[in-house]
């Protein structure tokens, strides 16, 4: 599935990428208040002018691109840095196994050596996360908008 990648900006001037199935998908998510800034959480988001891009990296090997274009302004440098961080975070999320609501149970099994050691993601309640932390099992909450599986 090809995804539309939009350059977005919140009302606090944070620039970030948004990945959507279509223009209509973006409009629907925006109307429901689901498009928020990953930096500050603002829901006042606008699309920036950008060249259209499709997420079709699976069709060919990516060419090496400089992180910041030569002669870029400070705002463009910040936007490039934010976009690079978001790409890395999304790649990290994609490299994990989604265990869904069994997250706390599976994290504990891995910690105790009862399951293969591997990166996982899923859902856990505040109480489950606190219990894991008390037992020395480190977890990190990641916003679900970073999970590309949600868009499929």
């Amino acid at each position: 599935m090809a995804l539309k990648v939009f350059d977005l900006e919140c009302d606090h001037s944070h620039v970030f990428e948004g990945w959507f199935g279509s223009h209509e998908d973006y409009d629907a998510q925006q109307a429901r208040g689901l498009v928020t800034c990953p930096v500050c959480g603002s829901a006042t988001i606008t699309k920036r002018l950008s060249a259209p891009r499709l997420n079709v990296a699976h069709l060919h090997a990516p060419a090496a691109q400089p992180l910041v274009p030569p002669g870029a302004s400070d705002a463009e440098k910040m936007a490039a840095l934010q976009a690079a961080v978001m790409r890395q975070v999304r790649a990290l999320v994609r490299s994990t196994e989604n265990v869904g609501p069994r997250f706390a149970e599976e994290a504990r099994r891995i910690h105790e050596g009862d399951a293969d050691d591997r990166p996982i993601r899923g859902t856990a309640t505040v109480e489950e996360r606190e219990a894991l932390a008390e037992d020395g099992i480190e977890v990190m909450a990641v916003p679900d908008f970073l999970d590309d599986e949600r868009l499929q």
Side-chain angles (χ1 to χ4, degrees):
M1 169 185 192
L3 295 176
K4 296 277 186 175
V5 180
F6 297 124
D7 290 329
L8 305 173
E9 183 173 2
C10 76
D11 57 337
H12 299 285
S13 301
H14 299 126
V15 178
F16 57 98
E17 284 185 348
W19 296 20
F20 303 91
S22 64
H23 287 278
E24 293 78 18
D25 185 35
Y26 166 80
D27 292 338
Q29 288 187 40
Q30 178 74 338
R32 293 184 357 224
L34 299 176
V35 181
T36 59
C37 176
V39 178
C40 68
S42 172
T44 304
I45 306 297
T46 56
K47 280 195 254 182
R48 293 177 48 135
L49 290 178
S50 64
R53 292 176 285 167
L54 294 176
N55 181 18
V56 293
H58 61 283
L59 299 177
H60 54 70
Q65 297 179 357
L67 177 62
V68 179
S73 69
D74 287 345
E76 290 168 326
K77 289 176 186 176
M78 180 57 74
L81 178 60
Q82 289 173 337
V85 168
M86 291 304 291
R87 281 191 298 273
Q88 291 295 86
V89 169
R90 279 199 162 90
L92 179 64
V93 169
R94 281 192 303 271
S95 72
T96 62
E97 177 187 342
N98 188 350
V99 297
R102 299 180 303 107
F103 177 81
E105 172 190 342
E106 196 64 17
R108 190 171 303 286
R109 289 183 64 226
I110 292 169
H111 180 75
E112 293 170 355
D114 295 333
D116 292 336
D117 188 11
R118 66 200 188 282
I120 62 171
R121 71 180 187 284
T123 57
T125 65
V126 172
E127 293 80 14
E128 288 172 325
R129 289 194 309 266
E130 288 173 354
L132 290 170
E134 287 173 9
D135 292 339
I137 303 170
E138 295 182 23
V139 299
M140 181 179 79
V142 177
D144 64 357
F145 72 85
L146 295 171
D147 187 353
D148 293 337
E149 288 178 10
R150 279 186 347 114
L151 302 176
Q152 298 177 0

